[in-house]
Amino acid sequence: ERGEITLIYGEPGSGKTALMLQIALQACLQGFKALCIYSDGLFPYPRLEIIMRKMGLNESSVSLQVIHVNRFEDLKNIVRQIELGNFKDYYLIAFDTLTGPYRSIPIERRQEVIAHNKMLNQLMAILKNYAQLFNAYLVLTSRLRSPSISGESTIDEPIASNVLTYWSDNIISLSKLDLPYRRRIVILKSHGMEANVEIKAHIVDGMLEGVD
């Protein structure tokens, strides 16, 4: 919905980017302009083209701008520009992943963790206010938390879980299944209310398609 933040999280390769691209292209189908802030290396243009063809779209019918960010400072600057209304013409803004630059910061002391969480909290507050003020769609992706130093396996939670889940109106978890190209999609929060809706999906030509 407009005015809401949707968080999609999961392990690498679970389908976060595929789902984000599908959402962005659906927005383009409805005549909206979409903006993607990408922080996971090179943007997957080949995958985008495959999904576009499958959806019957071509370059002339897609208004999607991509901005690459590598550092946390870049992320803060982009969010600042969003706050100032420099991207108000884009009714859908997607961060893939929001925690990419945040994750790359070397953290050696607990105080640094607290400081970075505070900054991320401020950025999320700005994005939430922007979504409501401009009646925009916001989509964020995040990877799972890294394993602890003790070697324990990671809990199925996004990086900076408390911050992201607090500000997000909708939360979607993606995970791999034993069979190739099969994924579990669980809606954990919908329009600010707790939810527990699960479907299975499979990946066809780079797209996630529900099967039950």
Side-chain angles (χ1 to χ4, degrees), residues 96-158:
D96 188 24
T97 67
L98 180 72
T99 52
Y102 173 86
R103 190 177 62 246
S104 66
I105 298 173
I107 298 175
E108 300 175 354
R109 295 182 296 274
R110 178 174 174 77
Q111 284 302 115
E112 294 183 22
V113 176
I114 294 173
H116 296 320
N117 279 342
K118 285 183 177 180
M119 178 54 66
L120 187 63
N121 188 64
Q122 292 175 15
L123 298 182
M124 288 293 294
I126 291 171
L127 293 175
K128 178 74 170 186
N129 181 68
Y130 174 86
Q132 295 176 337
L133 183 63
F134 289 96
N135 202 25
Y137 303 92
L138 260 75
V139 178
L140 318 174
T141 72
S142 177
R143 292 187 181 182
L144 299 181
R145 291 193 305 177
S146 300
S148 64
I149 297 176
S150 64
E152 298 175 357
S153 59
T154 180
I155 300 174
D156 187 19
E157 291 182 349

Side-chain angles (χ1 to χ4, degrees), residues 4-185:
E4 295 187 346
I5 293 178
T6 296
L7 170 66
I8 304 169
Y9 74 88
E11 62 188 303
S14 58
K16 302 182 298 298
T17 297
L19 184 53
M20 180 277 296
L21 290 175
Q22 286 175 245
I23 293 171
L25 290 175
Q26 284 291 344
C28 294
L29 269 176
Q30 298 177 47
F32 298 119
K33 295 174 66 177
L35 173 69
C36 177
I37 296 93
Y38 194 76
S39 67
D40 268 359
L42 295 176
F43 185 79
Y45 287 105
R47 188 189 310 178
L48 175 64
E49 293 174 355
I50 291 172
I51 297 176
M52 284 172 54
R53 286 198 299 269
K54 191 172 178 64
M55 295 176 66
L57 295 168
N58 53 52
E59 290 186 8
S60 62
S61 60
V62 172
S63 183
L64 173 64
Q65 180 181 353
V66 178
I67 297 177
H68 289 84
V69 297
N70 299 308
R71 301 177 302 120
F72 194 54
E73 285 299 319
D74 298 333
L75 177 64
K76 290 193 292 184
N77 290 335
I78 288 292
V79 174
R80 176 59 175 164
Q81 292 183 47
I82 291 172
E83 181 183 25
L84 293 174
N86 293 345
F87 297 107
K88 63 180 182 296
D89 292 336
Y90 294 89
Y91 284 100
L92 184 140
I93 298 178
F95 288 83
D96 188 24
T97 67
L98 180 72
T99 52
Y102 173 86
R103 190 177 62 246
S104 66
I105 298 173
I107 298 175
E108 300 175 354
R109 295 182 296 274
R110 178 174 174 77
Q111 284 302 115
E112 294 183 22
V113 176
I114 294 173
H116 296 320
N117 279 342
K118 285 183 177 180
M119 178 54 66
L120 187 63
N121 188 64
Q122 292 175 15
L123 298 182
M124 288 293 294
I126 291 171
L127 293 175
K128 178 74 170 186
N129 181 68
Y130 174 86
Q132 295 176 337
L133 183 63
F134 289 96
N135 202 25
Y137 303 92
L138 260 75
V139 178
L140 318 174
T141 72
S142 177
R143 292 187 181 182
L144 299 181
R145 291 193 305 177
S146 300
S148 64
I149 297 176
S150 64
E152 298 175 357
S153 59
T154 180
I155 300 174
D156 187 19
E157 291 182 349
I159 296 168
S161 173
N162 290 340
V163 176
L164 295 182
T165 56
Y166 174 80
W167 291 105
S168 298
D169 302 281
N170 312 290
I171 301 175
I172 300 171
S173 168
L174 297 179
S175 56
K176 299 177 182 179
L177 296 174
D178 292 337
L179 294 174
Y181 304 108
R182 298 294 290 270
R183 299 292 184 267
R184 177 184 290 110
I185 303 176

